[in-house]
Amino acid sequence: MSSIAIDPPDHPIDHPHGPKPGLLRWVFTTNHKDIGTLYLWLSLTMFIVGGSMAMCIRAELFKPGLAFFEPGFFNELTTLHGLIMIFGAVMPGFVGLANWMIPMMIGAPDMALPRMNNWSFWLLPFAFTLLISTLFINGPAPDFGWTAYAPLSTIYGPKSTDFFIFSVHLMGLSSIMGAINIIATILNLRAPGLTLMKMPIFVWTWLITAFLLIAVMPVLAGAVTMMLMDRHFDTSFFNAAGGGDPVMYQHIFWFFGHPEVYIMILPSFGIMSEIIPTFSRKKLFGYTSMVYATSSIALLSFLVWAHHMFTTGLPVIGEIYFMLATMLIAVPTGVKIFNWVATMFRGALSFETPMLFATAFLIMFTIGGFSGLMLAMVPADYQYHDTYFVVAHFHYVLVPGAVFGIIAAVYYWLPKWTGHYYSETLGKIHFWLSAVSINVLFFPMHFLGLAGMPRRIPDYALEFADFNKIASVGGFVFGCAQILFLLIVIRTIRGGPKAPAAVWEGAHGLEWTLPSPPPYHSFTTPPKVY
């Protein structure tokens, strides 16, 4: 059979499968770097939106009395702040980092399922548009807290709760597709010779996180579907009057909710395992134990959900089990922290901005872990439960743990992505403003909680005024500091000192050190053997 030679198009844009021009490029892109960039910009946008709500909350709590908002609107702000920060800022941020870095770290040409990758991103802007639109439609927005406990969200939930349910379904669908893509990429597209135990820890943490996502997101989807049925189809899953049980909602939600906490932390562990060896000029201490510790944390996260429910009347034997199982998570977490400190020990340390954020992560995440051990003790939890001590605990885990992790990763990889170095001076100013203000913001909340101040209230007794004022000032400074971060990122994208291929070698005399070197793969020649 004869063949007809066809000249290639003059420009890749002319090719039916090539990049699209202008904005269409971003709508239809299947390139893992483009999609990673879209995720990161969405994350930053949602971080600003959710952070603005936090500023409103802290403004209301600056002094006793109702200054700016009615109690109902205050509850709407706290609900949307939690949902947007968790599902809109932290999770898309980590997925963006995964999209950017995993194919490059394992020698893959792209993600395994590029079109599904595009779809999984574009579900999210519509999901968050639905969620945020509840502030502007007739009637109140969801006002039952981000946990959406029944019957507050079923019998007493506003009409906008249906928007919340639909948006959660879209977020879950996006997360499941993204997780399938990551697993397929890591298991099928690694360069020849790159075994699982040679992968960078960041890839390992995301592989484990992806399995967690696939396991728990359908559980959340089931919970909100039952909520929808109770609201509109006269079922009584969570309605005690019809034979249901509102506490069952808590069991289902926290079976999702506690692994979700580790979904937001494990990728940060991987980021720290990349940054700390680089700026210590040493290989990561205890690579194998890091992999097993991460796996242990993921497994244990499924076995401790009811420590959020000690005050619901669990059997004593159940309380004892969940208390001990919760304390057990401290063991693999302690292994990881020991390994990071051991990596830094006797290393040739230098404290560029990514290393500063990594060090702050180590210190403040450990503080959050210790307050978590306090909450794990059943008799003490009866006093701490639903007070600002809990708010202090999870913010000490999530802000230094997840948010600082994403910021550190952006500083670390931004020169690799853009070809330009950021301003180290501005980066350090951003770090010190953030690190100091975050402690001014959240540390006083421990004392407020121990003194008995309940969470999710717009007004409070006079004796809580001083610590609330200090916390609010810290919150305003932390919020303003993130505007500086946005300016640093934009400035670096637009230009700056040129960064070589080995980013942390040329300008700062640092060696790019990974647990396993990024594999060489041209897909035409045999791979190098490391």
Side-chain angles (χ1 to χ4, degrees):
M1 180 183 289
S2 61
S3 60
I4 301 171
I6 300 174
D7 291 333
D10 295 331
H11 193 275
I13 288 178
D14 300 328
H15 195 281
H17 302 298
K20 305 287 189 230
L23 284 175
L24 288 180
R25 168 197 164 186
W26 296 99
V27 175
F28 294 106
T29 182
T30 53
N31 182 293
H32 72 98
K33 297 177 183 178
D34 285 351
I35 294 171
T37 303
L38 287 169
Y39 268 112
L40 288 167
W41 278 114
L42 175 71
S43 169
L44 188 57
T45 304
M46 291 295 105
F47 185 53
I48 291 168
V49 172
S52 301
M53 293 176 178
M55 296 299 98
C56 294
I57 291 166
R58 286 316 318 173
E60 178 60 58
L61 295 173
F62 186 78
K63 61 181 183 179
L66 296 177
F68 300 105
F69 308 119
E70 293 298 315
F73 185 69
F74 184 88
N75 289 341
E76 295 170 31
L77 285 177
T78 55
T79 301
L80 292 176
H81 165 71
L83 290 167
I84 287 169
M85 287 308 218
I86 290 169
F87 296 108
V90 172
M91 288 178 64
F94 282 132
V95 177
L97 295 171
N99 266 286
W100 250 104
M101 298 311 300
I102 286 176
M104 296 199 290
M105 284 181 163
I106 65 172
D110 203 303
M111 298 295 279
L113 305 161
R115 290 182 186 276
M116 192 168 85
N117 202 17
N118 174 283
W119 189 30
S120 66
F121 168 76
W122 280 111
L123 284 172
L124 290 179
F126 294 97
F128 291 109
T129 301
L130 264 178
L131 186 62
I132 296 169
S133 71
T134 58
L135 283 171
F136 306 104
I137 60 178
N138 188 27
D143 56 359
F144 34 66
W146 79 273
T147 51
Y149 279 178
L152 295 176
S153 57
T154 51
I155 298 172
Y156 306 110
K159 291 180 180 179
S160 59
T161 306
D162 301 327
F163 283 66
F164 156 79
I165 291 170
F166 188 36
S167 67
V168 166
H169 274 301
L170 290 177
M171 295 173 208
L173 188 59
S174 169
S175 294
I176 290 168
M177 289 197 296
I180 291 169
N181 212 344
I182 286 166
I183 292 170
T185 304
I186 295 171
L187 296 186
N188 295 315
L189 293 186
R190 296 194 311 280
L194 182 66
T195 63
L196 289 175
M197 293 307 288
K198 288 182 180 176
M199 296 193 309
I201 292 286
F202 179 71
V203 181
W204 255 116
T205 54
W206 247 115
L207 179 63
I208 294 165
T209 301
F211 278 109
L212 284 179
L213 277 168
I214 290 175
V216 303
M217 292 312 293
V219 178
L220 177 64
V224 296
T225 302
M226 285 188 271
M227 186 194 304
L228 188 73
M229 301 291 282
D230 274 11
R231 286 173 57 80
H232 295 293
F233 297 99
D234 292 328
T235 57
S236 294
F237 291 109
F238 309 129
N239 183 4
D245 186 357
V247 176
M248 183 176 78
Y249 175 86
Q250 294 191 34
H251 279 290
I252 297 169
F253 178 86
W254 286 115
F255 189 79
F256 148 81
H258 199 76
E260 169 67 19
V261 172
Y262 290 98
I263 287 165
M264 293 189 285
I265 289 297
L266 292 183
S268 243
F269 289 171
I271 291 162
M272 297 305 126
S273 300
E274 305 297 339
I275 292 174
I276 290 172
T278 297
F279 294 97
S280 302
R281 298 171 178 82
K282 284 174 63 183
K283 284 194 172 183
L284 181 69
F285 180 90
Y287 172 91
T288 306
S289 64
M290 282 294 226
V291 173
Y292 285 114
T294 307
S295 306
S296 303
I297 291 169
L299 180 65
L300 287 168
S301 73
F302 284 100
L303 307 177
V304 298
W305 76 89
H307 67 212
H308 297 270
M309 302 169 54
F310 284 151
T311 60
T312 59
L314 296 175
V316 174
I317 188 67
E319 291 184 334
I320 293 170
Y321 160 74
F322 283 108
M323 176 174 69
L324 296 176
T326 303
M327 291 179 175
L328 191 60
I329 288 190
V331 176
T333 308
V335 168
K336 297 180 84 68
I337 290 170
F338 175 83
N339 284 3
W340 289 322
V341 174
T343 304
M344 296 168 70
F345 181 66
R346 290 194 168 179
L349 296 174
S350 67
F351 288 94
E352 276 77 21
T353 308
M355 186 62 166
L356 287 172
F357 275 101
T359 309
F361 166 94
L362 278 179
I363 296 167
M364 285 188 269
F365 181 78
T366 304
I367 293 172
F370 281 136
S371 60
L373 282 174
M374 295 170 66
L375 287 162
M377 293 183 283
V378 176
D381 186 75
Y382 274 86
Q383 177 179 343
Y384 305 143
H385 188 78
D386 263 343
T387 70
Y388 260 82
F389 191 89
V390 179
V391 179
H393 158 68
F394 70 69
H395 280 91
Y396 256 95
V397 171
L398 286 182
V399 182
V403 177
F404 273 25
I406 294 170
I407 292 172
V410 169
Y411 278 119
Y412 184 58
W413 284 315
L414 193 62
K416 194 78 173 171
W417 299 339
T418 64
H420 304 289
Y421 283 113
Y422 59 86
S423 167
E424 194 64 55
T425 303
L426 290 178
K428 287 180 176 173
I429 291 171
H430 172 230
F431 166 75
W432 285 111
L433 284 173
S434 299
V436 172
S437 61
I438 202 174
N439 284 287
V440 174
L441 169 57
F442 295 124
F443 207 83
M445 292 183 186
H446 292 101
F447 306 130
L448 288 169
L450 291 173
M453 180 176 168
R455 59 198 279 206
R456 295 176 181 162
I457 56 165
D459 194 6
Y460 51 84
L462 193 61
E463 62 261 29
F464 304 132
D466 291 342
F467 279 135
N468 267 300
K469 187 172 289 188
I470 293 168
S472 290
V473 170
F476 299 146
V477 175
F478 183 73
C480 293
Q482 307 324 305
I483 298 172
L484 176 60
F485 176 58
L486 175 62
L487 295 175
I488 292 168
V489 170
I490 293 172
R491 189 167 179 252
T492 308
I493 293 170
R494 291 167 64 95
K498 291 289 183 185
V503 171
W504 295 109
E505 187 176 31
H508 304 292
L510 302 180
E511 183 183 358
W512 183 292
T513 308
L514 295 172
S516 168
Y520 170 84
H521 201 346
S522 69
F523 295 95
T524 55
T525 55
K528 292 180 181 177
V529 178
Y530 290 100

